[in-house]
């Protein structure tokens, strides 16, 4: 044990030694002042951040800048200077993690003013200060969980599930492809950010749905004789007993042109609800019709299931005619029964648009969803934008304050419904990265910011993965990788049963 | 002060005879690889992207065997120049032999010992016949043997060396453990032997607990083989032989007739006994069909079209992948509409294959698509092939192609990302310098000889690509650029390979402005066939009966 502990400490010891040998970083002199704010990477100018966030390290957008000196002043109190050492390149503004957190705590509800002085071609230039606002609303979460996957088409390569502490730069592997014998895995679905109630799917030869609830891990086979596929997109009922799923038989085609890459579409899709106590799939003919039904989500009070639905088209020829509307059906958690009618919240066909991934805020105020020209996989549609439906007023609007010209999708809320994370391809059209923003009392979101990294340029330049379906998590997910591998490889599964489908008498 | 004699008697200083032997071995291995396995050298190089930054080094060193892995990737980077690659492989084999001889000399400085020192080296030469055994195997062996040469059976030295060797060179440290255990046994050092055995087991137990890898991978090694889900146990054989060879030599040295040091009468038979079986092993481990596929891929990669055709002239390719290579080479040499049916053809799949979840087979098709102007389809193939690399490494060759497809598609940010990574490689950085000014510069790309032409060839409209309707896809390329001769020849070839001649004359007309002085012979054959089918016993029918085109279309090809 001590050997393993020692070996784990080796990198930290090396870093500590290097820090002790702090390099002589250049100090600004003969500074020229300019009236403009600096162009920085990532663009953190004017963003609002939660008090728990890791240091917002950045560098100049201009890669020719050789060194950067940054002084941060709190509007209430405190001052902090970016540090440099052998492990921190001169061109990156990196902040001491403890001093950073203290400064944020001291300035909750206030602003931080960043004064940047940059060295280029032997000349120091001081820019006008820019600000970040420290939100009065905490994130209230340990971090995020996501799947990292190369944004490919058919091959999944070194896919893995990871968790990231939002207060530090620590990323931890929950499990990856080598733990599951090279098999694919689908996203992690947690019950309102819970680290105690979540599920993940593993696909392939040793496929399973691993469901954690009540301190127990269950490995399920969710494909039944009565249903055409395994459970896919999932969403928990907040009481924890039920989980709604879509069953999707997906297919993909590729574009020929310059901008669009791939079209993923459902050959078939239905919605079922898994009763985690009886391991039974609850069904209704209203959600298993010939139409496509997908991406279900329970309302905040658990009495409604929101989902997207579209009429079947001649695919793939008529792929542009597939328009998903946002609909809902009642659900009674006490009896595990569905309502008898489907309500249409937003008729996308009238808008000539398509809606996907409805995500109700946990406080019951909003539904955030993706809107795009057609189809069901927003992450592959560069016109996919986030929209917000105010459930009190029925008003819906595009979230222009966070949207970009590239795909914005896969959004999830924090437990307090004040913050949300979403994946965006705005960086380079190809790789989806996690952005964060805050919703104010007026329903307006703040400018989104990219997940901070210790050396952001190097990290994101060398990153060859998309951060798929990021979701918040209250506390660190404790998953024994060895045991997980053993259970996956054992093929011991509980076979889920499908409840009888009561056909309506008028059909 | 040491005298000259003491130094030259040291097991670490090779004698002239040893050097001559090493030179002969080096030459043999180099000639072997240059003569027949250049494609395999390229294959190794294209399945990795060695970066020169510190982060990459630290990432490699974070796992046992990391140093061997890192050094191996560094060396394989030089395989960019295939002939140098052959020299490096030969040097690795020779180093194994020299170190083996140094180790054996510690125990038995005999002619038989020298002959035995060739056995593990030739085994390494043999196992490298499996193109998925990585260079980290000989690198790790060299590291372990070098440390064995300085190791002594002292428990405290064992306690330091074993874990260090394991971390730097991976499970090849077994070799050191066996060697030290036998050494300790020979010297009756029971404590050292006990420490060796216990520590070896402890290292493996800790690894099993600490590393999230299946047990069989930890036992056989993480970095010696490209496929993580299957591991050939032949991987451990050369090291096992290496670890016991000093004691075999020592035992042999106790036999009076074998104890001679510099006796040719002993050395020559010993060499025959050791080298001949090893050479037969080498020959058996290099499977011609496997390396042929890799050679075709290399020749396509390096656009050596005449060599592809020359190779096919010797033996017509007969796998889907190699037929794609040949047809591409024929087209690039202007021969496709003339000589295609002199060679075996397997149908339209021999022009453009459907994507297979593989890291090699999609590449010739991707190269053809790239040249045709099917940029997105080529990008998909290149991307998927890269993601299919079994040990999850990236490929500098494919990343370069991806940077190019994104430059052509004006996706400059992602192109910049790929170029940024290639800039950190040893041999792609100079290419990056050439193309970096193109990023974001539409006019420069339009004016670029290759990329500008491919933009002209590329589809005008955005629609869903269909592998099932390849004639339509090729036809649309011609609609975009009627001067796209490659698209025309592929289209014509496609309908002939598909035996779908209904629209032959419609498509044939599209080529009238493409600079043919007279219709290419294959099209004349098809025309004659269509005419002959109107009157099967006519003169024309007899004239063309032996045509390869006819035989293919009529299904009478041998």
């Amino acid at each position: 044990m001590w050997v393993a502990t020692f070996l784990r400490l080796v990198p930290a010891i090396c870093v500590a030694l290097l820090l002790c040998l702090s390099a002589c970083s250049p100090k600004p002199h003969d500074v020229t002042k300019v009236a403009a704010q600096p162009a920085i990477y990532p663009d953190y100018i004017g963003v609002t951040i939660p008090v728990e966030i890791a240091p917002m390290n950045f560098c100049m957008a201009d890669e020719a800048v050789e060194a950067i000196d940054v002084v941060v002043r709190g509007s209430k109190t405190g001052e902090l200077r970016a540090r440099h050492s052998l492990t921190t390149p001169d061109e990156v503004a990196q902040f001491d993690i403890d001093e950073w957190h203290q400064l944020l705590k001291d300035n909750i509800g206030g602003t931080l003013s960043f004064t940047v002085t940059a060295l280029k071609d032997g000349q120091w230039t001081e820019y006008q200060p820019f600000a970040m606002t420290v939100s009065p609303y905490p994130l209230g979460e340990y971090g995020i969980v996501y799947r990292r996957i190369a944004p490919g088409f058919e091959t999944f390569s070194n896919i893995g599930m990871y968790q990231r502490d939002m207060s530090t730069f620590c990323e931890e592997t929950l499990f990856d492809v080598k733990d599951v014998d090279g098999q694919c895995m689908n996203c992690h679905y947690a019950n309102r950010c819970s680290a105690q109630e979540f599920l993940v799917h593993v696909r392939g030869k040793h496929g399973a749905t691993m469901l954690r609830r009540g301190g127990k891990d269950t490995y399920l086979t969710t494909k039944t004789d009565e249903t055409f596929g395994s459970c896919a997109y999932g969403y928990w009922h907040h009481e924890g007993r039920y989980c709604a799923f879509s069953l999707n038989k997906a297919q993909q085609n590729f574009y020929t042109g310059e901008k669009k890459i791939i079209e993923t579409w459902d050959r078939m899709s239905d919605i079922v609800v898994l009763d985690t106590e009886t391991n039974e799939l609850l069904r209704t003919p209203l959600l298993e019709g010939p139409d496509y039904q997908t991406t279900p989500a329970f309302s905040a009070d658990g009495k409604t299931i929101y989902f997207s639905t579209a009429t079947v088209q001649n695919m793939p020829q008529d792929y542009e005619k597939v328009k998903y509307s946002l609909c809902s059906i009642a659900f009674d958690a006490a009896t595990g029964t569905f309502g008898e009618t489907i309500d249409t919240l937003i008729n996308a066909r009238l808008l000539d648009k398509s809606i996907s991934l409805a995500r109700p805020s946990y406080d019951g105020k909003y539904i955030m969803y993706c809107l795009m020209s057609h189809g069901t996989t927003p992450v592959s549609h560069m016109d996919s934008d986030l929209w917000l439906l105010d459930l009190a007023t029925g008003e819906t609007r595009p979230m222009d304050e966070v949207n970009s010209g590239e795909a914005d999708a896969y959004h999830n809320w924090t437990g307090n419904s004040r913050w949300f994370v979403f994946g965006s391809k705005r960086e380079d059209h190809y790789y989806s990265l996690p952005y964060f923003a805050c919703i104010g009392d007026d329903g307006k979101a703040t400018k989104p910011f990219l997940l901070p990294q210790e050396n952001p340029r190097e990290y994101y330049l060398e990153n060859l993965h998309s951060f798929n379906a990021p979701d918040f998590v209250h506390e660190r997910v404790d998953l024994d990788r060895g045991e997980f591998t053993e259970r996956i490889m054992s093929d011991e599964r509980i076979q889920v049963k499908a409840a009888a489908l009561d056909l309506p008498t008028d059909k | 002060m040491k005298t000259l004699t003491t130094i030259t008697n040291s097991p670490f200083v090779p004698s002239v005879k040893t050097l001559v032997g090493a030179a002969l071995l080096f030459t043999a291995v180099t000639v072997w690889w240059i003569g027949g396995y250049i494609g395999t050298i390229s294959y190794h190089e294209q399945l990795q992207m060695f970066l020169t930054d510190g982060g990459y080094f630290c990432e490699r060193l974070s796992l046992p065997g990391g140093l061997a892995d890192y050094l191996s990737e560094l060396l394989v980077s030089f395989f960019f120049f295939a002939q140098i690659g052959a020299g490096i492989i030969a040097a690795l084999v020779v180093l194994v032999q020299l170190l083996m001889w140094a180790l054996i000399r510690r125990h038995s400085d005999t002619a038989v010992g020298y002959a035995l020192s060739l056995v593990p080296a030739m085994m390494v030469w043999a196992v490298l016949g499996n193109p998925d055994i990585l260079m980290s195997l000989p690198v790790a062996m060299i590291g372990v043997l070098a440390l064995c040469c300085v190791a002594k059976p002292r428990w405290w030295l064992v306690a330091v060396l074993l874990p260090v060797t394991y971390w730097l060179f991976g499970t090849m440290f077994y070799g050191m453990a066996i060697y030290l255990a036998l050494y300790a046994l020979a010297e009756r050092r029971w404590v050292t032997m006990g420490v060796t055995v216990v520590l070896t087991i402890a290292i493996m137990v800790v690894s099993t607990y600490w590393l999230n890898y299946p047990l069989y991978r930890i036992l056989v090694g993480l970095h010696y083989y490209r496929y993580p889900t299957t591991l050939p146990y032949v991987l451990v054989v050369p090291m096992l032989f290496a670890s016991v060879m000093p004691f075999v030599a020592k035992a042999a040295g106790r036999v009076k007739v074998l104890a001679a040091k510099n006796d040719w009468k002993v050395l020559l038979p010993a060499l025959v006994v050791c080298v001949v079986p090893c050479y037969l092993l080498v020959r058996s481990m290099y499977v011609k069909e496997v390396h042929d596929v890799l050679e075709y891929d290399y020749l396509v990669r390096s656009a050596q079209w005449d060599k592809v055709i020359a190779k096919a002239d010797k033996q017509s390719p007969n796998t889907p992948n190699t037929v794609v290579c040949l047809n591409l080479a024929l087209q690039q040499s202007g021969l496709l509409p003339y000589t295609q049916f002199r060679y075996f053809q397997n149908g339209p799949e021999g022009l453009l294959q459907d994507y297979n979840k593989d890291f090699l087979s999609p590449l010739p098709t991707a190269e053809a698509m790239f040249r045709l102007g099917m940029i997105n389809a080529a990008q998909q193939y290149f991307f998927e092939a890269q993601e299919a690399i079994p040990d999850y490494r990236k490929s500098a060759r494919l990343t370069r192609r991806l940077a190019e497809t994104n430059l052509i598609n004006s996706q400059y940010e992602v192109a910049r990302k790929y170029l940024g990574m290639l800039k950190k490689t040893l041999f792609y950085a100079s290419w990056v310098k050439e193309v970096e000014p193109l990023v974001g510069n539409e006019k420069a790309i339009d004016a670029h000889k290759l990329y500008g032409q491919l933009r002209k060839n590329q589809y005008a409209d955005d629609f869903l690509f269909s592998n099932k309707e390849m004639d339509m896809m090729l036809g649309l390329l011609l609609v975009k650029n009627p001067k796209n001769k490659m698209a025309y020849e592929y289209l014509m070839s496609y309908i002939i390979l598909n035996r779908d001649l209904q629209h032959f004359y419609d498509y044939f007309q599209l080529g009238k402005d493409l600079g043919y002085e007279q219709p290419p012979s294959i099209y004349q054959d098809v025309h004659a066939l269509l005419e002959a089918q109107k009157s099967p016993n006519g003169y024309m029918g007899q004239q063309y009966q032996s045509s390869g085109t006819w035989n293919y279309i009529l299904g009478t090809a041998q």
Side-chain angles (χ1 to χ4, degrees), chain A residues 153 254 257 431 460 462-463, chain B residues 376 384 417-418 424 462 465:
Chain A
F153 313 101
F254 306 94
Y431 295 90
Y460 289 115
E462 293 187 4
N463 166 57
Chain B
N376 266 17
E384 295 287 297
K417 176 194 266 285
Y418 295 144
K424 295 181 179 180
D462 222 348
F465 189 83

Side-chain angles (χ1 to χ4, degrees), chain A residues 207-366:
Chain A
T209 294
M210 189 276 245
L211 187 145
R212 173 171 292 181
R213 186 168 178 242
K216 190 177 152 198
D217 292 346
T218 314
Y219 290 72
L220 305 173
T221 295
T222 57
K223 167 79 180 73
T224 70
D225 291 341
E226 293 80 11
T227 50
F228 64 78
S230 299
C231 291
Y233 294 103
Y235 198 100
W236 287 78
H237 188 279
H238 68 277
E239 289 169 2
R241 175 170 176 173
Y242 299 104
C243 197
F245 286 104
S246 61
L247 316 173
N248 304 74
K249 197 161 263 187
Q251 196 153 329
Q252 46 195 11
N253 288 83
F254 306 94
Y255 285 100
T256 55
E258 296 174 357
K259 299 290 179 197
K260 299 180 194 170
I261 298 170
I262 188 172
E263 182 72 34
T264 305
W265 48 278
D266 281 340
R267 191 171 283 284
M268 298 166 77
S269 58
D270 287 340
I271 288 175
V272 295
V273 171
L274 173 70
D275 183 338
T276 63
E277 289 182 4
T278 62
N279 292 319
E280 191 176 37
L281 295 179
L282 308 179
R283 304 157 73 197
T284 169
L286 293 171
L287 297 177
E288 292 194 30
D291 289 352
Y292 306 123
Q293 291 90 197
T294 190
T295 60
F298 280 104
S299 60
D301 61 8
K303 292 178 179 171
T304 305
I305 299 173
Y306 300 110
F307 61 97
S308 294
T309 181
T311 50
V312 173
Q313 301 292 336
N314 180 26
M315 297 295 282
Q317 290 84 349
D318 293 333
Y319 69 95
E320 287 178 314
K321 293 182 186 169
V322 180
K323 312 281 181 183
Y324 283 84
S325 293
L326 178 60
C327 294
S328 68
I329 187 169
F331 182 77
D332 182 353
T335 58
T337 53
F338 297 91
E340 293 181 354
T341 56
I342 286 177
D343 294 322
T344 302
L345 277 74
I346 303 174
N347 189 331
R349 279 165 289 184
L350 295 179
L351 299 170
D352 196 27
K353 296 283 182 187
S354 190
I355 290 174
S356 187
L357 290 173
R359 286 284 181 269
S361 61
Y362 303 126
D363 60 8
K365 284 185 181 172
Y366 308 107

Side-chain angles (χ1 to χ4, degrees), chain A residues 1 3-5 7-8 63 150-159 176-179 181-183 253-263 265 316-317 319-320 382 406 426-431 458-465 480-482 485, chain B residues 49 51 53 55-56 167 206 209-210 212-214 216-217 229 355 357-358 373 375-377 379-381 383-389 392 394 399 402 406 408-411 413-414 416-418 420-421 423-424 455 458-459 461-466 473:
Chain A
M1 180 71 80
V3 176
T5 310
L7 290 173
R8 278 186 183 136
E63 290 183 36
F153 313 101
E154 294 178 50
T155 315
F156 43 83
S157 189
N158 58 339
I159 185 174
D176 64 22
V177 68
K178 65 179 181 295
D179 296 324
D181 198 26
Q183 298 175 108
N253 288 83
F254 306 94
Y255 285 100
T256 55
E258 296 174 357
K259 299 290 179 197
K260 299 180 194 170
I261 298 170
I262 188 172
E263 182 72 34
W265 48 278
Q317 290 84 349
Y319 69 95
E320 287 178 314
M382 62 182 289
E406 296 288 346
R426 66 191 61 190
E427 191 88 353
D428 55 24
H429 178 70
Y430 218 68
Y431 295 90
E458 185 181 80
Y459 183 94
Y460 289 115
L461 176 73
E462 293 187 4
N463 166 57
L464 293 174
H465 288 103
D480 183 329
R481 288 174 73 178
T485 302
Chain B
M49 182 158 59
L51 302 183
D53 63 5
Y56 195 77
W167 201 260
V206 170
Y209 161 75
W210 192 53
N212 272 296
Y213 283 90
Y216 69 91
R217 287 201 67 194
T229 49
Y355 173 73
K357 286 185 183 176
D358 179 29
I375 302 301
N376 266 17
Q379 179 171 298
Q380 180 216 339
Y381 276 52
F383 192 96
E384 295 287 297
Q386 173 158 265
E387 293 308 316
I389 295 173
Y392 312 126
K394 298 300 169 194
T399 301
L402 290 172
N406 282 289
I408 295 164
N409 276 342
S410 305
Q411 295 298 341
E413 287 308 319
V414 71
R416 192 173 280 130
K417 176 194 266 285
Y418 295 144
M421 296 190 77
K423 212 191 280 186
K424 295 181 179 180
R455 276 190 169 182
Q458 200 177 7
Y459 294 107
D461 300 319
D462 222 348
F463 55 89
L464 295 182
F465 189 83
S466 171
M473 297 297 114

Side-chain angles (χ1 to χ4, degrees), chain B residues 86-154:
Chain B
I88 289 172
I89 293 171
L92 292 173
V93 172
V94 167
L95 266 175
V96 170
Q97 189 271 326
L98 288 176
L99 286 164
M100 198 64 247
W101 177 221
L103 198 59
I104 288 174
R105 280 177 78 192
R106 294 177 87 186
H107 303 271
S108 173
D109 187 1
T110 62
V112 170
Y114 177 77
L116 286 172
S117 74
L118 287 162
V119 175
M122 291 192 72
M123 282 183 163
V124 169
W125 179 3
V127 297
L128 291 179
N130 181 335
D132 293 312
I133 290 181
L134 304 174
M135 290 303 144
S136 49
L137 179 82
V139 169
M141 267 188 81
I142 289 165
V144 172
L145 287 174
L147 290 172
C148 282
C149 284
V150 296
K152 289 181 179 173
R154 307 285 182 273

